[in-house]
Amino acid sequence: MKIFNTMTNRKEEFIPINPKEVNMYVCGPTVYNFFHIGNGRTFIVFDAVRRYLEYRGYKVNFVQNFTDIDDKMIKKANEQSTTVKDIGDEYIAEYYKDADALNIKRATVNPRATEFIDEIIAFVKELVEKGYAYEVDGDVYFSTKKFKSYGKLSGQNLDELKAGASERVNLDEKKNDPMDFAVWKSQKPGEPAWQSPWGMGRPGWHIECSCMAHKLLGDTIDIHAGGEDLVFPHHENEIAQSESRTGKPFANYWMHSAFINIDNKKMSKSLNNFFTAREMLQKYNSDVIRLFMLAGHYRTQLNFSIELLDSTKVSLERLYNAISNLENLLEEVKRQNLNDDEREYTKNLDSYRDKYIEKMDDDFNTADAVSVIFDLVRDINSNVNAGSSKDLVVYSLNLIKELGEPLGILQKTTKGSLEEEIENLIAARQQARKDKNWALSDKIRDDLKSRGIVLEDTPQGVRWKKA
Ligand code: AMP
Ligand code: ZN
């Protein structure tokens, strides 16, 4: 299996430290808001990587953190007159709702930065003792020039980085060098803070990941991943801290997924050009959203539009139709066992699995893997029918689902996905009613009605049935 390693800028044979196990760390969300589908792409891509590694027989220890203390968290807590802890609790719960709905497997561990304060302080202390970090008035900075290979991930050297940074440098900062970065920040009025050898304060963002990855996965991890915007400075800084501390490589493979763009601009909260996963899930089921994401290569930027999602939905219908035909055939077919021709034909079916594995082994080429599934389905559509044996129908059905599983799609029966869509629409209508948006709630009801679904308000909640 080959993985494109950002560190070396090329595809490399993947050799995990333990032959049967993969330790993987993915930078997770800052939990001050719902996540948008740009973030969602990163989560879905690395969920597919994890699922595929599992499909290939590895045990994957998958750690994805929650950043639950930073400026955005503090701002949100102030706006809502609540605590940073409560904002974290609230949006972690919302994260799980959306991630579960997107069929993203739960991580082995989702550490929260604020649960690792003691370990972070110990980490910073060690950096100070080793001379890699220094304190100024309660702030602690990492001294980038002490770490000789600073810049190796993003392929820049310190002088180039400095030249690029010179306009952005804030002269008020107390650090010795513009490229140094904070590992510990002294408390400002009204901010949450913890006792430390440098006074009351809180951790910097980069040290959280270095610390939690080390604590949960050890000195060297197999795969460290995140969105491409994290290469610099976040991952560069994680490397500097971690490798200064241990003297060992922090991660053997660095994977970065490309952005989702809207009109060729990165989807982001700051540009206000985003769609939340929540709102997309009200209109599309997780298969549509995941197929849309995974039909592109993870290192290629993806332009988002509703039209593209709609056309993905139409293509997905082809797969659903094939599955539901096979499910119906199960009731119809007369013969149980494979005959000789069918036995031969299963070898042809198996060749799609081989092709799929070949594509996915090549740096998780989900785009080509998706095409293989469509080719497989076309083949099955023209060769499996009411004259086939039950075993062949089952074989075909299982293979489609098997190849869908690493992508996290096609796992429910077609009936299940329709039900899910209706439940989502009902939830959207309930929300619209709560918001007193009667126009929207009526529209959802009428749209469902035109599809032959009637809603009934009962004391137990909204029920639906086919008219
Ligand atoms: P944040 O909550 O902003 O810290 O981001 C969480 C994750 O989503 C990080 O790995 C980011 O790199 C990633 N991310 C943010 N915006 C986008 C985008 N437009 N497309 C893809 N990934 C993104
Ligand atoms: Zn991180």
Side-chain angles (χ1 to χ4, degrees):
M1 188 186 301
K2 285 197 159 59
I3 295 184
F4 184 92
N5 189 351
T6 310
M7 184 63 87
T8 54
N9 238 324
R10 56 186 182 82
K11 284 183 199 170
E12 290 173 8
E13 193 57 37
F14 177 57
I15 306 166
I17 298 165
N18 277 319
K20 290 198 161 25
E21 220 168 300
V22 177
N23 283 342
M24 185 166 175
Y25 186 97
V26 181
C27 293
T30 308
V31 280
Y32 71 106
N33 220 325
F34 293 98
F35 68 84
H36 60 66
I37 56 161
N39 311 129
R41 180 185 194 188
T42 300
F43 306 146
I44 287 172
V45 159
F46 294 113
D47 178 58
V49 166
R50 179 238 190 128
R51 283 167 178 269
Y52 184 68
L53 290 166
E54 287 173 347
Y55 175 71
R56 299 290 270 137
Y58 293 109
K59 174 179 186 290
V60 181
N61 301 311
F62 189 95
V63 177
Q64 182 178 289
N65 68 298
F66 288 123
T67 295
D68 65 348
I69 174 77
D70 86 334
D71 292 345
K72 287 175 278 193
M73 297 285 302
I74 294 169
K75 186 162 168 266
K76 182 86 172 193
N78 288 338
E79 278 166 14
Q80 308 216 336
S81 311
T82 181
T83 60
V84 166
K85 164 92 170 62
D86 280 348
I87 294 290
D89 290 348
E90 180 181 345
Y91 287 103
I92 286 172
E94 301 294 359
Y95 169 87
Y96 283 129
K97 278 189 211 159
D98 292 337
D100 290 349
L102 286 170
N103 202 20
I104 293 169
K105 278 180 96 164
R106 292 266 176 133
T108 317
V109 194
N110 282 128
R112 288 176 72 154
T114 55
E115 288 165 352
F116 286 80
I117 299 292
D118 289 346
E119 288 85 353
I120 291 172
I121 290 173
F123 200 133
V124 175
K125 248 175 98 177
E126 208 176 318
L127 291 178
V128 173
E129 280 158 15
K130 289 189 163 143
Y132 285 104
Y134 55 92
E135 189 219 338
V136 188
D137 300 338
D139 291 320
V140 182
Y141 294 100
F142 186 91
S143 177
T144 44
K145 66 172 182 297
K146 291 268 168 60
F147 183 65
K148 292 295 170 248
S149 51
Y150 191 80
K152 65 181 169 181
L153 182 69
S154 51
Q156 297 157 285
N157 65 38
L158 209 46
D159 291 334
E160 287 164 353
L161 286 168
K162 256 185 216 166
S166 57
E167 299 130 46
R168 287 186 272 119
V169 174
N170 182 347
L171 294 176
D172 292 342
E173 295 212 46
K174 297 167 283 186
K175 52 197 185 184
N176 296 344
D177 185 294
M179 291 316 297
D180 293 354
F181 58 89
V183 283
W184 186 263
K185 298 178 173 184
S186 60
Q187 181 181 26
K188 296 199 197 77
E191 286 186 357
W194 290 263
Q195 189 61 254
S196 81
W198 317 282
M200 295 297 284
R202 63 181 164 99
W205 172 35
H206 318 300
I207 196 83
E208 295 170 11
C209 286
S210 279
C211 179
M212 294 185 283
H214 181 262
K215 187 81 197 167
L216 296 165
L217 298 172
D219 286 350
T220 302
I221 50 192
D222 293 303
I223 301 176
H224 194 315
E228 63 181 344
D229 53 335
L230 300 187
V231 174
F232 185 85
H234 184 54
H235 287 164
E236 202 74 75
N237 291 352
E238 282 189 38
I239 291 169
Q241 299 161 152
S242 297
E243 299 191 358
S244 304
R245 183 191 195 187
T246 64
K248 294 180 193 154
F250 179 37
N252 286 335
Y253 301 86
W254 287 88
M255 293 184 72
H256 293 96
S257 62
F259 293 147
I260 286 199
N261 294 333
I262 284 211
D263 298 330
N264 298 312
K265 284 198 203 73
K266 178 192 172 191
M267 182 180 288
S268 71
K269 285 174 191 147
S270 53
L271 290 175
N272 205 28
N273 62 348
F274 63 90
F275 291 95
T276 60
R278 180 78 46 103
E279 62 188 311
M280 286 298 105
L281 281 161
Q282 287 170 353
K283 289 189 68 187
Y284 304 94
N285 71 25
S286 65
D287 280 3
V288 178
I289 298 173
R290 293 183 69 108
L291 186 63
F292 167 71
M293 307 272 186
L294 298 172
H297 193 278
Y298 78 91
R299 286 187 286 111
T300 308
Q301 298 201 349
L302 198 60
N303 243 320
F304 176 85
S305 72
I306 295 292
E307 291 73 32
L308 283 172
L309 265 189
D310 284 336
S311 70
T312 305
K313 189 173 173 181
V314 173
S315 335
L316 187 63
E317 291 298 331
R318 298 216 320 261
L319 304 183
Y320 283 160
N321 286 338
I323 293 175
S324 93
N325 282 341
L326 291 169
E327 283 169 352
N328 293 336
L329 278 180
L330 280 181
E331 318 285 316
E332 277 174 47
V333 290
K334 309 268 181 314
R335 193 158 47 85
Q336 178 67 46
N337 299 319
L338 296 175
N339 62 26
D340 287 347
D341 284 350
E342 288 179 337
R343 202 160 290 117
E344 202 51 38
Y345 180 66
T346 59
K347 287 192 200 140
N348 167 53
L349 290 182
D350 289 344
S351 72
Y352 289 95
R353 179 193 290 112
D354 298 341
K355 191 95 200 144
Y356 175 95
I357 289 177
E358 186 192 309
K359 298 298 181 188
M360 289 293 281
D361 271 0
D362 182 14
D363 189 32
F364 309 96
N365 191 338
T366 57
D368 284 1
V370 163
S371 305
V372 173
I373 296 179
F374 277 95
D375 292 344
L376 166 70
V377 162
R378 195 171 310 122
D379 199 324
I380 289 172
N381 281 344
S382 43
N383 289 293
V384 182
N385 50 49
S388 305
S389 66
K390 191 165 189 173
D391 284 355
L392 183 63
V393 177
V394 170
Y395 200 96
S396 306
L397 206 47
N398 286 347
L399 185 57
I400 297 174
K401 294 204 170 188
E402 177 189 323
L403 303 192
E405 205 284 332
L407 308 178
I409 60 170
L410 307 177
Q411 297 310 293
K412 299 189 196 83
T413 61
T414 44
K415 188 166 126 276
S417 63
L418 177 68
E419 271 163 10
E420 183 185 62
E421 193 187 338
I422 294 170
E423 303 292 339
N424 284 334
L425 284 167
I426 292 175
R429 178 168 168 265
Q430 293 299 86
Q431 185 62 43
R433 287 167 62 155
K434 238 165 95 188
D435 300 341
K436 301 207 183 338
N437 185 345
W438 310 116
L440 180 62
S441 80
D442 288 350
K443 176 155 189 337
I444 294 173
R445 191 200 52 219
D446 294 345
D447 285 354
L448 283 169
K449 199 167 159 202
S450 70
R451 293 168 59 182
I453 313 279
V454 244
L455 302 185
E456 287 175 337
D457 292 302
T458 75
Q460 289 78 36
V462 182
R463 295 270 171 77
W464 63 273
K465 60 172 196 209
K466 286 206 163 146

